[in-house]
Amino acid sequence: MVRTFRIYACAMMALAVYIFAPLAHSQTTPPESADFPGQVRLVLPKVIYAVANVETNIFFDDVVLTPNSKDYIFEVQCEKGMLFEDRWAYTPSSEDNGAFLLTLVVRDKTNAVVARGHSMIRVSPATAGAGKAVTLLAVGDSLTQASVYTQHLLELAGRAHGPALRLIGSRGPDDSPAHGPNRHEGYSGWTAEAFATLNGPLSRSGYFKGGQTGSPFVYIEDGKQKLDFDKYCAEFNDHHAPEFVTFALGTNDIFRGTDETIDPITDKIFVYFDQLVNMVHTFSPSTKIGILLVIPPSSSQDGFRNYINTQRQTSWQYRRNQHRFVERMIQHYDGREDENIYLVPSYLAIDTAHDFVSRRIAWSAENPEEVNRVIDGIHPSPVGYRHMAASIYTWLLFSITHGAK
């Protein structure tokens, strides 16, 4: 009887191996030299910028589309940086300079490779462009209007041996006209379409005001509206084009998206995004344009509970929209450095678990014990904004180092 049971058990184990073993390897793994996004839709930019004494991060939750990135194992192969549980981090030393290949491998619980991506870490010295006078115009929505990442850009540039950075723009902190060095064109609720088309008389007035708000770049000439960067620069930069322009847009466009509508929404965004890019380069082809890859939301649904009525959305759906938009942005703008168009990988730098504002709130009406809950799932905390600034600054110094085309 015992012998019979053992034979039966062995037979069942063999059958289980026959049936289930192929499932762990049902996805054919490409050669080790090949990138493939896999089932987790791994998305990495071709280039990640770094600067001596400034931390560069790749948070794993930001590069794959899954409700819980902890269900996977992330392996980073690079001669630089440190691998943590939730991220790869690298703060170059003053001696570091040049390019370093990075390979990110994603494995599932069976240790099978389910995704792989490569990127080049391009390190600039902290002294790149030391003392060089450069101007930058930051264009964006409420993330720019907050004036936090623009302020930190000034602080980073103000370190020893930094460039002499001057921001231009008509607006400053506290939703007010610009008076100090922290300037930009940031408008809460705005989209690329708004910047390209709004022609109301209240130009640069901020929030939408009954159809009266106008884009800072739209001018009326001979009864016709025109995107005119020449005139804008005449007003705000003594007729000179800035050396750098950044666009941080897309959040408001994709917010209400679904899996079915996100691609048509993105197609529409690119129509107006391209108009803004062409507006700048029609006046100044040498201006370097940095397009920020839209940052992810908080990983907590708590930060989305206040988005109601027409604004109703879940953290997971918005995360799906943002991930798809980043995929499309890379497809659309990657490899265009010869046109002075660059992707700024700001989405990699956000810690979705800790970089959003939280507040202590009772567990429930019947449980007064307090717990930290995220109160805004879209707008990061000051720490998150500073991470965005670091992404822009590392790109800026790389661009200064490599000169104008």
Side-chain angles (χ1 to χ4, degrees), residues 204 216-217 219-221 228-237 239 283:
R204 310 177 186 102
F217 309 119
Y219 293 81
I220 306 299
E221 300 176 6
D228 197 331
F229 200 56
D230 188 344
K231 280 196 171 183
Y232 175 86
C233 292
E235 286 192 68
F236 296 102
N237 199 34
H239 295 272
F283 176 55

Side-chain angles (χ1 to χ4, degrees), residues 49 246 290-294 342-347 388 391-392 395:
Y49 304 100
T246 59
I291 297 175
L292 273 65
L293 291 167
V294 174
Y342 298 79
L343 289 170
V344 179
S346 48
Y347 77 105
M388 289 179 65
S391 296
I392 299 170
W395 164 72

Side-chain angles (χ1 to χ4, degrees), residues 17-295:
V17 171
Y18 175 77
I19 292 175
F20 294 110
L23 296 181
H25 304 282
S26 58
Q27 177 183 348
T28 301
T29 303
E32 290 190 7
S33 60
D35 287 6
F36 70 106
Q39 62 190 13
V40 294
R41 290 169 58 179
L42 173 65
V43 57
L44 273 182
K46 296 292 180 58
V47 178
I48 299 172
Y49 304 100
V51 168
N53 304 318
V54 176
E55 185 180 69
T56 290
N57 289 295
I58 301 175
F59 281 94
F60 302 136
D61 199 42
D62 302 341
V63 297
V64 293
L65 186 61
T66 174
N68 189 355
S69 60
K70 291 183 178 180
D71 289 338
Y72 296 88
I73 297 91
F74 295 85
E75 175 185 342
V76 176
Q77 301 161 4
C78 185
E79 62 181 282
K80 300 292 183 179
M82 294 182 290
L83 180 61
F84 293 95
E85 179 184 9
D86 59 341
R87 63 182 170 128
W88 173 85
Y90 174 40
T91 303
S93 69
S94 57
E95 290 77 28
D96 288 346
N97 191 19
F100 305 94
L101 180 64
L102 179 142
T103 302
L104 175 57
V105 176
V106 185
R107 299 178 183 271
D108 66 13
K109 61 184 178 182
T110 72
N111 209 35
V113 176
V114 297
R116 183 188 300 112
H118 295 83
S119 191
M120 191 64 69
I121 310 299
R122 297 200 174 273
V123 183
S124 302
T127 56
K132 181 177 180 179
V134 294
T135 53
L136 182 146
L137 167 64
V139 181
D141 47 37
S142 56
L143 299 182
T144 303
Q145 179 177 292
S147 306
V148 181
Y149 78 74
T150 47
Q151 177 60 40
H152 194 50
L153 271 176
L154 293 170
E155 293 164 356
L156 289 169
R159 295 179 177 182
H161 308 298
L165 175 64
R166 182 170 62 88
L167 302 180
I168 68 171
S170 65
R171 297 169 62 72
D174 303 318
D175 193 25
S176 62
H179 298 295
N182 187 357
R183 301 168 179 243
H184 51 74
E185 295 295 346
Y187 299 79
S188 179
W190 278 43
T191 62
E193 181 179 5
F195 279 103
T197 63
L198 289 184
N199 64 353
L202 300 178
S203 180
R204 310 177 186 102
S205 61
Y207 292 97
F208 292 107
K209 299 180 185 297
Q212 297 298 299
T213 303
S215 165
F217 309 119
V218 172
Y219 293 81
I220 306 299
E221 300 176 6
D222 299 325
K224 297 180 180 180
Q225 72 178 60
K226 177 185 178 183
L227 278 172
D228 197 331
F229 200 56
D230 188 344
K231 280 196 171 183
Y232 175 86
C233 292
E235 286 192 68
F236 296 102
N237 199 34
D238 195 26
H239 295 272
H240 299 295
E243 284 82 12
F244 299 93
V245 173
T246 59
F247 288 108
L249 291 166
T251 299
N252 295 299
D253 304 79
I254 67 175
F255 187 87
R256 298 179 183 85
T258 64
D259 289 355
E260 293 72 30
T261 63
I262 187 60
D263 276 326
I265 288 171
T266 300
D267 292 339
K268 182 179 179 181
I269 296 172
F270 286 155
V271 169
Y272 298 107
F273 234 121
D274 288 345
Q275 288 181 17
L276 295 171
V277 169
N278 292 336
M279 171 194 75
V280 174
H281 279 164
T282 296
F283 176 55
S284 175
S286 64
T287 294
K288 293 181 183 294
I289 296 177
I291 297 175
L292 273 65
L293 291 167
V294 174
I295 67 171

